[in-house]
Amino acid sequence: MKYKPRHLMTYKFLLFLFILCFAFLSRGQLIREAVEFLTIEPNKRAVEEDPTLYLSKIIVSPVISYSPETSLGMGFGAKYLFKFKGSGAETRTSNVPLSFTYTLNNQFVFFSGFEVFTNQERYVIEGNIIYRRFPQLYYDVGRDTPESNEEEYSFQQLLIEPILLKRAIFRYLFLGGGIRINDISRVDVEEDGSLEDNNRTGERGSTSIGGEFALLYDSRDKILTASNGWYAEFTFGVYEESLGSTSNFRLTRLDLRHFFTPFKDRNDVLAFQFKTQFSNGDTPISELARLGSDEIMRGYYEGRFIDNHLIAFQAEYRKTIKGAVGLIVFAGMGDVANKVSDFDITRFRPSYGFGLRYLLDAKEDLNLRFDWGFGDNTNNFYLNISEAF
């Protein structure tokens, strides 16, 4: 039996949950009191003695999330916001989130995606740590795979990706590198399914161990919800059997974003993102580019289309309606391809939709978000904390 939820029941339940959440959140004083109750300020006494210090926060909260890949997820999380002693206004707030989630699809996920700035932003330490036991849907490789290909498989993943970067040449530009370990194990596939029969690299598990070169330009005014600035991250990873990988391949990734306020009213923000991933060599299935997620190409199931290469673009307009409540609309397009020469912009798939926001932390602009994304013959809901990009 497939784990994929029946959409009609799921949508009705999620709409009920959404209405309930925002009815509760509309009582601004109540939610502010709840956030304050769940916020720990570990250096509060030191800040009282020395007001130049940044007041660190550990925001602990229950986690309620939804995406088509996980269905409804529940758990708990914490977000540590801080600055090192000696950091001034020129140093942006470091962000270290932790979350543990269990979903209605019997998935367990631990996640931390961190970005830490040292004093005066001389160094940036960023990366991801993920552990998950995850059933997922698979439709084979290619941009035109039919729905009838759908099959279920499950796997265990451990991803560790720390990157250290040093400021170089001028402010906001950082150069560095790191390592990336992505281990896929305990893979269970459907009997007589395509994953069992097609002998693709990594179909029964894989290990990717490689070194990454990284270049980062980050002039965003705020990390969690930027309203101005640029973000550009380029990474090039080399994975070799001599390093412990199960195959030899290369990964090249680019994430380019721009944020600005088009009007005098800073409550209006325009945001743009251009994202690519290119792989070369004997790339395992787990490392192929995946179209769709809660971050870009919203509306599509993550991995509905997978192949060697991905190009995607999106634009988002964000507006505060009243107090802590905001509205966003977004649109984008993207595609996957076996070869770069196969990309045809006239065939790119669309992604568009709208969402609501509720401001949880005014100082850091931390939002609860609800998005409804649409694509080619598909639509999906997303409920999470912080912006899509």
Side-chain angles (χ1 to χ4, degrees):
M1 178 180 179
K2 302 287 187 186
Y3 75 87
K4 189 176 182 180
R6 300 278 71 84
H7 288 302
L8 183 59
M9 292 181 62
T10 303
Y11 288 172
K12 285 182 176 179
F13 173 74
L14 194 60
L15 278 172
F16 170 76
L17 179 66
F18 165 71
I19 293 169
L20 186 66
C21 283
F22 274 87
F24 169 74
L25 291 173
S26 64
R27 302 178 65 179
Q29 183 61 32
L30 182 60
I31 189 62
R32 281 192 292 271
E33 290 176 357
V35 171
E36 290 176 4
F37 177 76
L38 293 169
T39 299
I40 302 169
E41 298 171 342
N43 66 338
K44 183 176 181 179
R45 183 171 297 179
V47 172
E48 291 173 350
E49 297 176 357
D50 183 359
T52 63
L53 296 176
Y54 177 83
L55 181 61
S56 301
K57 295 180 181 179
I58 301 175
I59 303 173
V60 182
S61 68
V63 172
I64 300 177
S65 64
Y66 180 88
S67 73
E69 300 80 38
T70 64
S71 183
L72 186 67
M74 293 167 286
F76 66 93
K79 189 177 288 290
Y80 182 30
L81 306 174
F82 70 97
K83 293 183 182 183
F84 290 109
K85 184 177 181 179
S87 297
E90 78 287 346
T91 303
R92 284 164 289 181
T93 305
S94 295
N95 169 39
V96 180
L98 297 171
S99 66
F100 301 85
T101 308
Y102 186 79
T103 79
L104 295 185
N105 288 336
N106 296 319
Q107 299 153 314
F108 172 81
V109 183
F110 165 78
F111 170 76
S112 178
F114 50 90
E115 189 164 10
V116 176
F117 296 92
T118 66
N119 294 358
Q120 289 73 56
E121 299 191 0
R122 295 189 181 95
Y123 292 90
V124 176
I125 305 165
E126 64 170 20
N128 299 284
I129 300 174
I130 299 172
Y131 173 80
R132 59 180 180 167
R133 179 66 181 168
F134 219 76
Q136 196 163 353
L137 298 178
Y138 176 73
Y139 299 87
D140 208 349
V141 177
R143 76 166 309 276
D144 295 311
T145 54
E147 285 280 343
S148 59
N149 278 9
E150 180 185 298
E151 62 182 271
E152 179 185 338
Y153 75 108
S154 64
F155 60 92
Q156 176 179 283
Q157 179 185 26
L158 175 63
L159 171 68
I160 302 174
E161 185 183 21
I163 296 176
L164 174 65
L165 302 112
K166 185 181 187 303
R167 191 171 65 200
I169 306 175
F170 53 85
R171 191 182 182 192
Y172 301 133
L173 180 66
F174 303 87
L175 296 174
I179 61 172
R180 184 171 176 272
I181 302 170
N182 187 21
D183 183 69
I184 306 294
S185 61
R186 298 175 64 184
V187 178
D188 295 320
V189 301
E190 285 191 7
E191 186 176 353
D192 299 325
S194 63
L195 273 172
E196 184 179 58
D197 299 332
N198 64 18
N199 295 317
R200 292 190 180 276
T201 300
E203 66 176 15
R204 294 304 184 93
S206 62
T207 300
S208 304
I209 302 177
E212 284 189 313
F213 165 77
L215 184 150
L216 173 68
Y217 181 85
D218 188 356
S219 64
R220 293 174 296 174
D221 54 350
K222 292 187 178 181
I223 302 304
L224 298 177
T225 308
S227 59
N228 277 289
W230 288 85
Y231 176 91
E233 182 177 37
F234 171 84
T235 62
F236 176 71
V238 177
Y239 302 86
E240 296 284 346
E241 292 180 4
S242 60
L243 298 174
S245 292
T246 50
S247 60
N248 300 325
F249 65 99
R250 309 286 184 268
L251 280 183
T252 305
R253 297 179 290 178
L254 173 66
D255 185 352
L256 176 64
R257 312 175 195 180
H258 181 45
F259 308 87
F260 67 97
T261 51
F263 312 114
K264 291 182 179 180
D265 185 355
R266 291 180 59 84
N267 290 328
D268 296 77
V269 176
L270 273 174
F272 298 90
Q273 183 182 30
F274 176 72
K275 193 170 186 178
T276 66
Q277 177 176 318
F278 302 102
S279 65
N280 301 97
D282 191 15
T283 310
I285 287 177
S286 62
E287 299 288 5
L288 293 176
R290 313 174 74 82
L291 186 142
S293 73
D294 67 336
E295 297 177 347
I296 193 166
M297 296 303 291
R298 281 165 281 182
Y300 295 91
Y301 180 89
E302 183 177 3
R304 173 61 186 87
F305 301 100
I306 63 175
D307 216 318
N308 288 323
H309 312 303
L310 165 75
I311 296 177
F313 169 82
Q314 67 178 338
E316 187 167 287
Y317 174 65
R318 305 167 181 170
K319 181 175 181 61
T320 300
I321 299 174
K322 182 179 180 181
V325 179
L327 172 70
I328 70 105
V329 292
F330 61 88
M333 59 183 183
D335 207 354
V336 294
N338 179 255
K339 297 182 294 185
V340 175
S341 59
D342 291 339
F343 280 113
D344 180 355
I345 194 170
T346 63
R347 300 182 67 203
F348 275 24
R349 289 184 165 86
S351 167
Y352 55 93
F354 63 92
L356 287 172
R357 300 292 185 266
Y358 187 86
L359 186 63
L360 296 175
D361 188 308
K363 185 173 182 179
E364 299 298 339
D365 285 341
L366 179 63
N367 283 326
L368 173 69
R369 70 179 174 101
F370 174 90
D371 291 336
W372 193 356
F374 298 81
D376 276 339
N377 301 312
T378 182
N379 67 96
N380 284 295
F381 292 110
Y382 305 89
L383 177 66
N384 219 316
I385 293 177
S386 76
E387 294 297 337
F389 67 100

